[in-house]
Amino acid sequence: NAGVTQTPKFRVLKTGQSMTLLCAQDMNHEYMYWYRQDPGMGLRLIHYSVGEGTTAKGEVPDGYNVSRLKKQNFLLGLESAAPSQTSVYFCASRGGWETQYFGPGTRLLVL
Amino acid sequence: GNSVTQMEGPVTLSEEAFLTINCTYTATGYPSLFWYVQYPGEGLQLLLKATKADDKGSNKGFEATYRKETTSFHLEKGSVQVSDSAVYFCALTNPIQGAQKLVFGQGTRLTINP
């Protein structure tokens, strides 16, 4: 039982490049979330999903897209990366009324 | 809307000192309150939670009491250890909003010196 895993752990992009962050969970959870963490601002919700095939916008969705084609995976895409998207990205999952479980994070640097 | 405010950090203490990290919240209805901890290089882990007024959450010697009258959820520990050095986040979820979306405070970095 690996919990929540994220790929990659670290990535450097140039402005305008695209990439996809992968989140996988093996707990059969319905809910999945993508957050970004910036210094002095805590974590902010980007997008979330309440089940396979569903997605919804969070607090800071601009510049990101997501997909939940399989229940266990939640993908976060950056179509045209900008320096303002330099951050640490965390994925989380939750089942029912349980706690959210977080992945180890992906550190992204956009030059 | 919903928001969480934590005391400014960083906080530096000596081992065995008493710890308090203040947290206050703004929310309509009856939110659930959480403390998460992030150790260096890791993701967030749930430390404790409380789901209704006057509930006390506790774990690993840490405690926090849900005070609706003061809209607070302060984190306390009687005797801190070097291993408690981490960033601590206060957070809430509000059932009114659905999907149990977490709203976080800005985090408080705690350093414990031996």
Side-chain angles (χ1 to χ4, degrees), chain B residues 30-70:
Chain B
Y30 301 92
S32 295
L33 302 174
F34 305 82
W35 276 101
Y36 278 83
V37 58
Q38 184 180 29
Y39 297 104
E42 298 183 11
L44 279 70
Q45 304 173 24
L46 178 68
L47 181 59
L48 52 85
K49 67 179 182 181
T51 58
K52 60 182 187 296
D54 299 326
D55 267 3
K56 178 185 283 188
S58 61
N59 185 26
K60 298 182 180 179
F62 291 89
E63 293 183 341
T65 301
Y66 187 165
R67 301 286 189 200
K68 191 163 178 63
E69 64 274 15
T70 54

Side-chain angles (χ1 to χ4, degrees), chain A residues 29 93-95 97-101, chain B residues 34 36 46 49:
Chain A
H29 285 168
S93 72
R94 181 181 71 82
W97 292 100
E98 296 171 23
T99 305
Q100 286 191 27
Y101 293 89
Chain B
F34 305 82
Y36 278 83
L46 178 68
K49 67 179 182 181

Side-chain angles (χ1 to χ4, degrees), chain A residues 33 35 37 40 42-43 45 48 90 94 97 99-100 102-103, chain B residues 36 38 42-44 46 49 89 99-102 104-106:
Chain A
Y33 309 81
Y35 296 89
Q37 181 181 28
L43 277 75
L45 182 65
Y48 65 98
F90 287 99
R94 181 181 71 82
W97 292 100
T99 305
Q100 286 191 27
F102 284 80
Chain B
Y36 278 83
Q38 184 180 29
E42 298 183 11
L44 279 70
L46 178 68
K49 67 179 182 181
F89 292 93
Q100 290 287 300
K101 292 175 284 186
L102 279 164
F104 286 90
Q106 72 269 36

Side-chain angles (χ1 to χ4, degrees), chain A:
Chain A
N1 188 337
V4 180
T5 58
Q6 293 183 232
T7 309
K9 288 184 171 53
F10 176 69
R11 184 75 182 269
V12 178
L13 289 180
K14 295 181 180 178
T15 297
Q17 287 185 317
S18 63
M19 77 164 294
T20 300
L21 282 66
L22 171 63
C23 176
Q25 53 97 2
D26 61 3
M27 296 174 282
N28 201 35
H29 285 168
E30 292 291 337
Y31 296 80
M32 297 187 75
Y33 309 81
W34 275 109
Y35 296 89
R36 59 178 289 171
Q37 181 181 28
D38 301 296
M41 300 187 72
L43 277 75
R44 293 180 292 168
L45 182 65
I46 304 171
H47 286 281
Y48 65 98
S49 168
V50 301
E52 181 179 321
T54 74
T55 62
K57 293 180 180 179
E59 182 186 357
V60 289
D62 294 342
Y64 305 94
N65 55 76
V66 288
S67 65
R68 183 99 182 269
L69 298 180
K70 293 183 179 181
K71 186 176 184 178
Q72 64 267 34
N73 295 335
F74 194 30
L75 279 63
L76 178 71
L78 287 73
E79 289 188 348
S80 179
S84 61
Q85 294 177 304
T86 293
S87 189
V88 181
Y89 293 86
F90 287 99
C91 176
S93 72
R94 181 181 71 82
W97 292 100
E98 296 171 23
T99 305
Q100 286 191 27
Y101 293 89
F102 284 80
T106 294
R107 187 174 297 275
L108 177 64
L109 175 62
V110 183
L111 301 175

